[in-house]
Amino acid sequence: MDGRKMGQKGLLARSLSKQTSIKGLRAAILLTILLLFCVSAVNRLAAEENQPAKKTAPAGKAAAEELPKPEDVTLQTADSVQLVATYYRGGKGKESIPIVLLHGWKHNRTDYTKDFAPFLQSKGFAVVVPDLRGHGDSTRLKTLYGKDETLDAVTLAPKQFNLMVYQDLKAVKEFLWEKNNAGELNLDKLCVVGAEMGASIALEFAWYDAMGYDQGSPEYGSLKLGRFVKALVLISPETSFKGISIRHAVQNPAVRNDISVLILLGNGDNKALSEAKRVYSIFERDHPKPDPEKKADQQTLFFTPLETKLQGANLLTEKNLKTEEIINAFLNLRLVKSDAAKSWLWKERKLPHQ
């Protein structure tokens, strides 16, 4: 990579990590302009790599086929919730990076299925967007007596929010495990994007993944059973939501040290800004700032306030904020171009005694 490209990527890393001063509006505006300029520059540099992915055309056809259409799937959790999700197959086969998109409380997967999930698929990513229990189409719970119970986001018991991690996302992980072994994606480059409640779920899931799920260890002999999550995008995160705390995540060295994190929020809401800064400060201790000359390749923690009062998935709806492009640049920087990413190779995954 020539000096010009490295310089522009360095600008992106610096602009993503720099916190917006709340003491002066002028500094916030200048930072936002710089951020958008740098993201645009990096996207232009990566234009060839990030062109919409298409399947190779069979012999005799002049053009490649269009991207696969999204597929609605129903996953049954271990506690018998009928979890509905939409799956977007990636365009790079075993090299496709899997992205899980998690909505906020009283929202559903349509926050992402209209624009953001198709955008990510067009960049070659494999995307799965679940309705978490009690939300959207995931409201049916089969009881022991054969009757269906209806789950409602507004009246969910506190334990149900924890089960979004230990049941819902475990079912999603098992779905991705199967897709990995079918050669459709590389599970070892998993990224989870969460907005508001979804950010809390994402952090708790990263801890659960680091612990190896129900196995209690990420490794069993030569088999890898966890630590698949390599990146988190936390949109308007909170330190606690309805009993889900970030305590587990921040107390686990593998989560604190080894996962790249992008924090996004609108800086026009003082409460959201304060909460996001608290989350950032916790991770900052274990993500030291790299040498400026190597920042583009080695920076793993990014704090990006945007000049708006919007929060959560609403940041994706305001196109002038360039939120989609910022996330795409982060994913490419940490999961495609980094030295660490080159070691996360596709492998067939097996369970103990399988």
Side-chain angles (χ1 to χ4, degrees), residues 225-270:
L225 305 177
R227 295 192 182 176
F228 297 114
V229 176
K230 298 300 192 298
L232 293 170
V233 178
L234 308 177
I235 306 176
S236 305
E238 301 178 16
T239 54
S240 179
F241 181 87
K242 292 190 178 295
I244 301 174
S245 171
I246 66 172
R247 178 175 53 85
H248 282 145
V250 300
Q251 289 179 351
N252 186 287
V255 178
R256 272 200 331 266
N257 304 336
D258 300 338
I259 296 177
S260 296
V261 180
L262 167 63
I263 298 174
L264 288 160
L265 72 148
N267 66 4
D269 184 316
N270 288 334

Side-chain angles (χ1 to χ4, degrees), residues 1-18 34-47 49-50 290-302 325-326 328-342:
M1 180 181 294
D2 60 33
R4 181 176 65 86
K5 293 182 179 179
M6 290 186 68
Q8 289 173 313
K9 288 182 67 180
L11 281 173
L12 170 66
R14 286 194 292 275
S15 65
L16 284 171
S17 63
K18 184 175 179 64
L34 179 60
L35 173 66
L36 299 182
F37 171 80
C38 293
V39 169
S40 176
V42 170
N43 284 344
R44 286 198 302 271
L45 286 173
E49 178 179 334
N50 290 330
D291 186 297
E293 294 183 0
K294 300 179 179 180
K295 201 168 188 178
D297 293 324
Q298 296 184 358
Q299 184 169 351
T300 55
L301 177 63
F302 303 86
E325 287 81 359
I326 293 170
N328 181 53
F330 167 75
L331 295 174
N332 276 284
L333 185 66
R334 297 309 312 152
L335 299 179
V336 178
K337 298 181 181 298
S338 70
D339 289 339
K342 296 171 185 176

Side-chain angles (χ1 to χ4, degrees), residues 74-285:
T74 299
L75 313 174
Q76 181 164 308
T77 67
D79 63 341
S80 299
V81 172
Q82 306 300 296
L83 199 74
V84 179
T86 302
Y87 173 62
Y88 299 76
R89 184 172 178 174
K92 298 180 180 179
K94 294 178 180 179
E95 299 302 315
S96 296
I97 295 169
I99 313 291
V100 179
L101 305 180
L102 303 177
H103 57 75
W105 184 47
K106 297 192 291 186
H107 287 241
N108 56 61
R109 71 189 194 279
T110 60
D111 280 355
Y112 303 118
T113 54
K114 182 179 179 181
D115 293 314
F116 188 44
F119 168 82
L120 290 173
Q121 186 192 33
S122 76
K123 303 301 182 183
F125 298 106
V127 187
V128 61
V129 194
D131 277 335
L132 297 170
R133 63 181 56 210
H135 296 76
D137 295 321
S138 300
T139 59
R140 291 178 55 210
L141 169 64
K142 290 188 175 181
T143 68
L144 295 175
Y145 305 102
K147 294 182 179 180
D148 285 354
E149 179 181 331
T150 299
L151 299 174
D152 187 295
V154 177
T155 58
L156 279 180
K159 71 174 184 179
Q160 294 292 341
F161 290 94
N162 284 288
L163 292 176
M164 291 177 184
V165 177
Y166 307 125
Q167 296 290 344
D168 298 1
L169 288 191
K170 183 184 176 186
V172 171
K173 185 270 296 184
E174 291 172 350
F175 172 79
L176 291 175
W177 183 291
E178 293 177 359
K179 294 300 181 182
N180 177 90
N181 289 350
E184 294 185 19
L185 53 86
N186 181 359
L187 183 60
D188 206 23
K189 289 188 175 185
L190 179 58
C191 173
V192 185
V193 179
E196 299 175 300
M197 176 191 79
S200 299
I201 301 295
L203 277 166
E204 185 76 354
F205 176 70
W207 168 79
Y208 190 36
D209 172 72
M211 295 298 293
Y213 304 91
D214 296 339
Q215 301 291 333
S217 172
E219 296 179 349
Y220 184 90
S222 62
L223 300 178
K224 183 171 183 176
L225 305 177
R227 295 192 182 176
F228 297 114
V229 176
K230 298 300 192 298
L232 293 170
V233 178
L234 308 177
I235 306 176
S236 305
E238 301 178 16
T239 54
S240 179
F241 181 87
K242 292 190 178 295
I244 301 174
S245 171
I246 66 172
R247 178 175 53 85
H248 282 145
V250 300
Q251 289 179 351
N252 186 287
V255 178
R256 272 200 331 266
N257 304 336
D258 300 338
I259 296 177
S260 296
V261 180
L262 167 63
I263 298 174
L264 288 160
L265 72 148
N267 66 4
D269 184 316
N270 288 334
K271 181 180 178 181
L273 181 61
S274 176
E275 281 288 286
K277 282 185 174 181
R278 288 179 63 191
V279 175
Y280 173 78
S281 66
I282 293 171
F283 280 97
E284 188 179 23
R285 305 165 193 165

Side-chain angles (χ1 to χ4, degrees), residues 235-236 264-266 308 310-318 321 323:
I235 306 176
S236 305
L264 288 160
L265 72 148
T308 180
L310 297 175
Q311 300 300 331
N314 288 328
L315 292 173
L316 296 162
T317 64
E318 181 52 68
L321 296 175
T323 309

